[in-house]
Structures are given as C-alpha cells and as structure tokens.
C-alpha cells in the first residue's frame, strides 16, 4: 500500500494521526511535538519540548517504524506542489507535476514549490492544524526555517518491516520505547 494515507499505512487507512484518531491517546502521553497553549503567545511545552525535539523522543509513530510522521518539523518531500488531483485516485509514490520547463531553462528552480508534510512544533489547532497525515502545504526550494527538515526513506519489504517494528511498539501513550 502507498504511504501517505492515515497512519502512513496506505490509502484505505483513515486515521487522523499515525497512531489513531486522538492527538493525545487515552493513556495521556504525547505522541508528537506540537504547540500546546495559547498560540502564538505561550507554548506550555506539555509534550516536554519548546522548539524541536530529538527524532526518537516520542517513539515510532506507525507500523512502519517511522518517527515524527507528524509534528516536530515540517518534512520537505520531493513531490512538486500542485492543487490539481484526480478525485479518488490512489497513486503509488506520486511525484506531482514536473517542474515548468521555463523555470528549468532559466535556472529558476528556486521558484518551484515542493510539498511539505507533517506540521511542526509551531502548529496549533487554532492556527495551523496541519500535523495530521492528510494535510500538506508547500514551500520553495530556497526556504529555510527552524521548523523545516526533510525525510530520508528507503523501501522496506514486508519481512523487514515486521522485523524492525514489533507489535505494540507504535505510540499508544507517549512512552513507546
């Protein structure tokens, strides 16, 4: 199944967050680093962090063993930004539209917008509710902020994924290690 549906588990998965439908699961622990408190005046840091957190701070967020699928820092991905999508289509590893030829010819690659996903520690439900799996936005290639990073990925076979993440390791209460 393609990554990118709810939970990072495929197009048929409709979870709001990688671990389920509640930002803070019933156990009360945090699974992601987002803004808590009155935005933008006071981040209470209830998740333990004001600003970015170490990658492994909240344990794995999904059954693929991925960390920080939402929250912490925006993740810039290789997909070109577009608002034109085919309704109901599930596309394996979508790349978005090619960069405009004129921009490439003029070496204006910085103007091309790329997708960023996952939200960040500066996201709050009242302002930027983008720390959900289906949410995305864009930025240009020359963007630089303290809440923007990128994700390096490699394909995993079913056996590898099962070996790397044992059942029960996915964040359920913020103490998943």
């Amino acid at each position: 199944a393609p990554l990118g549906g709810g939970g990072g588990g495929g197009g048929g998965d409709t979870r709001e967050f990688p671990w389920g439908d509640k930002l803070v699961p019933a156990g009360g622990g945090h699974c992601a680093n987002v803004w808590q408190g009155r935005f933008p005046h006071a981040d209470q840091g209830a998740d333990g962090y004001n600003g970015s957190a170490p990658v492994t701070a909240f344990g794995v967020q999904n059954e693929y063993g991925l960390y920080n699928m939402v929250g912490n820092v925006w993740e810039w991905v290789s997909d070109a930004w577009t608002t034109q999508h085919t309704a109901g289509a599930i596309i394996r590893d979508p790349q978005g539209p090619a960069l405009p030829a004129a921009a490439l010819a003029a070496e204006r690659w910085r103007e091309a917008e790329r997708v960023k996903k996952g939200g960040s520690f500066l996201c709050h439900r009242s302002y930027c509710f983008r720390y959900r799996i289906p949410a995305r936005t864009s930025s240009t290639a020359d963007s630089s902020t303290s809440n923007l990073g990128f994700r390096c990925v490699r394909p995993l076979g079913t056996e590898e994924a099962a070996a790397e993440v044992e059942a029960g390791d996915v964040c359920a209460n913020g103490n998943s290690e």
Side-chain angles (χ1 to χ4, degrees):
L3 290 179
D13 188 340
T14 59
R15 291 179 287 179
E16 187 97 20
F17 305 104
W19 53 86
D21 288 325
K22 302 272 187 207
L23 177 61
V24 179
H30 292 269
C31 291
N33 181 18
V34 297
W35 190 281
Q36 299 96 37
R38 205 176 99 209
F39 187 84
H41 304 288
D43 181 1
Q44 297 168 346
D47 58 16
Y49 299 92
N50 294 100
S52 64
V55 171
T56 59
F58 299 97
V60 297
Q61 287 189 337
N62 68 11
E63 53 277 356
Y64 291 100
L66 299 175
Y67 295 87
N68 290 322
M69 290 297 296
V70 297
N72 208 28
V73 297
W74 282 100
E75 295 170 351
W76 199 47
V77 300
S78 64
D79 299 14
W81 174 257
T82 183
T83 57
Q84 305 300 312
H85 300 281
T86 304
I90 297 176
I91 302 170
R92 187 173 192 81
D93 194 21
Q95 295 300 305
L99 295 176
L104 291 175
E107 295 186 18
R108 293 184 353 239
W109 58 270
R110 287 180 199 87
E111 296 174 22
E113 293 187 63
R114 297 292 183 173
V115 173
K116 61 183 183 177
K117 294 200 47 93
S120 79
F121 64 87
L122 291 174
C123 289
H124 184 269
R125 187 176 186 105
S126 70
Y127 174 72
C128 171
F129 190 41
R130 296 229 169 97
Y131 47 85
R132 300 167 296 115
I133 289 294
R136 65 191 186 91
T137 191
S138 66
S139 65
T140 58
D142 60 352
S143 295
S144 163
T145 66
S146 65
N147 67 331
L148 177 61
F150 59 92
R151 179 177 293 281
C152 296
V153 296
R154 69 178 172 93
L156 285 177
T158 304
E159 295 83 27
E160 285 179 281
E164 290 193 17
V165 182
E166 296 178 17
D169 284 347
V170 176
C171 184
N173 62 10
N175 186 14
S176 60
E177 298 185 344

